[in-house]
């Protein structure tokens, strides 16, 4: 297991009047290259939502409905704040977000890679899931049990890659920190399989059943999205 790293994730909704194709095109071809100009940006992935089915799991789904997830990596949190706050480029990015986005939440996460991706991960199915703990459970208890859960997922057949992203800071409105009650997401999962069939088989396996039984002990909701990942930087 690698050491945790820190990055910012955008939870994105398009404006209702934008078609899915127009949103996809603008996000990839216009907005992506604009953000890529940030001098302190070290990595940038766009994850376009293509499927909102739970797929393989029988679990309460949360209220979240997003069209995409961005992942932006900086050397330090202060660099990220500076990049999106000051200067003409930051202003241009904010103006473009207002042009095509209907909603944008930001979470800062500590990332741990549990199952490393193969050197050439192209063609794999990627699923992003948002996790919320039960109301009576503490943040520390959630994080401790999620580490235990990593060992269960690692033993599931067919898992090509698995990352845990623990939420450490929240902005329901970009640039304005908020509390947990305003954005109650505790963790974000990145999970890769060869195909939808491999995913279904993994969760239907005996180890998959053990894994989901454990999930019931520390999670209230899992909101899953299949995404198409695009590397910008």
């Amino acid at each position: 297991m690698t050491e945790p790293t820190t990055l910012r994730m955008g939870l994105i909704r398009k404006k209702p009047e934008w078609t899915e194709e127009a949103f996809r095109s603008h996000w990839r071809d216009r907005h992506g290259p604009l953000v890529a100009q940030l001098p302190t940006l070290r990595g940038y992935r766009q994850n376009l939502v293509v499927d909102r089915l739970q797929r393989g799991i029988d679990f309460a789904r949360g209220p979240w409905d997003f069209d995409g997830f961005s992942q932006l990596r900086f050397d330090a949190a202060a660099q990220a704040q500076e990049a999106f706050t000051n200067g003409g480029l930051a202003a241009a990015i904010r103006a473009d977000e207002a042009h095509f986005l209907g909603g944008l939440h930001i979470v800062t996460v500590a990332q741990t890679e549990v199952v490393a991706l193969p050197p050439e991960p192209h063609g794999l199915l990627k699923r992003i899931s948002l996790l919320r703990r039960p109301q009576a459970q503490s943040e520390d208890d959630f994080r401790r049990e999620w580490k235990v859960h990593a060992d269960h997922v690692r033993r599931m057949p067919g898992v090509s890659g698995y990352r845990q992203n623990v939420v450490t800071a929240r902005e329901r409105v970009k640039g304005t920190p908020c509390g947990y009650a305003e954005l109650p997401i505790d963790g974000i999962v990145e999970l890769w399989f060869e195909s939808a069939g491999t995913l279904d088989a993994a969760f239907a396996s005996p180890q998959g059943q053990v894994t989901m039984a454990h999930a019931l002990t520390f999670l209230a909701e899992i909101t899953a999205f299949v995404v198409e990942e695009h590397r910008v930087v």
Side-chain angles (χ1 to χ4, degrees):
M1 184 182 295
T2 60
E3 292 299 313
T5 60
T6 301
L7 71 151
R8 284 165 61 95
M9 295 187 67
L11 316 181
I12 294 169
R13 286 188 296 271
K14 66 180 180 64
K15 285 187 172 180
E17 63 269 24
W18 281 63
T19 66
E20 292 184 3
E21 185 55 39
F23 165 74
R24 173 193 180 113
S25 177
H26 187 91
W27 191 26
R28 177 172 292 194
D29 300 331
R30 299 292 186 87
H31 191 73
L34 182 65
V35 174
Q37 297 177 47
L38 291 169
T40 56
L41 185 65
R42 297 292 174 257
Y44 179 22
R45 300 287 192 279
Q46 294 178 342
N47 297 275
L48 179 74
V49 171
V50 296
D51 185 330
R52 292 170 173 81
L53 300 176
Q54 292 289 75
R55 285 199 180 276
I57 60 174
D58 181 15
F59 214 99
R61 186 176 179 87
W64 309 109
D65 188 15
F66 297 111
D67 298 295
F69 302 90
S70 60
Q71 297 172 293
L72 299 102
R73 192 178 303 278
F74 295 84
D75 288 335
Q79 287 186 344
Q81 189 65 29
E82 173 74 15
F84 288 109
T85 302
N86 300 322
L89 179 56
I93 291 171
R94 292 194 299 270
D96 193 56
E97 288 168 347
H99 171 60
F100 81 110
L101 295 184
L104 173 60
H105 310 319
I106 302 293
V107 293
T108 301
V109 303
Q111 183 182 88
T112 302
E113 186 173 66
V114 179
V115 177
L117 281 166
E120 297 294 334
H122 305 295
L124 293 177
L125 179 146
K126 179 179 180 181
R127 183 165 80 178
I128 287 180
S129 300
L130 310 181
L131 308 181
R132 183 177 68 81
R133 70 182 190 267
Q135 187 173 1
Q137 187 182 55
S138 71
E139 185 177 67
D140 287 343
D141 284 345
F142 163 77
R143 294 182 178 185
R144 181 169 52 252
E145 284 304 313
W146 203 16
K147 288 182 180 178
V148 173
H149 195 70
D151 290 330
H152 289 299
V153 175
R154 189 184 289 110
R155 290 192 288 267
M156 285 172 56
V159 176
S160 297
Y162 175 45
R163 293 176 187 157
Q164 293 183 339
N165 298 285
V166 175
V167 176
T168 58
R170 301 166 176 84
E171 302 169 21
R172 187 170 183 89
V173 176
K174 183 182 175 183
T176 304
C178 72
Y180 179 80
E182 296 171 87
L183 197 57
I185 299 171
D186 294 278
I188 300 178
V189 176
E190 296 175 83
L191 195 55
W192 286 262
F193 294 92
E194 288 185 0
S195 66
T198 307
L199 182 158
D200 290 338
F203 283 102
S205 70
Q207 181 56 43
Q209 295 299 302
V210 170
T211 300
M212 294 315 298
H214 179 252
L216 288 168
T217 68
F218 77 106
L219 295 179
E221 295 171 354
I222 301 176
T223 309
F225 303 84
V226 172
V227 300
E228 180 184 286
E229 185 183 75
H230 170 62
R231 178 178 178 177
V232 183
V233 176

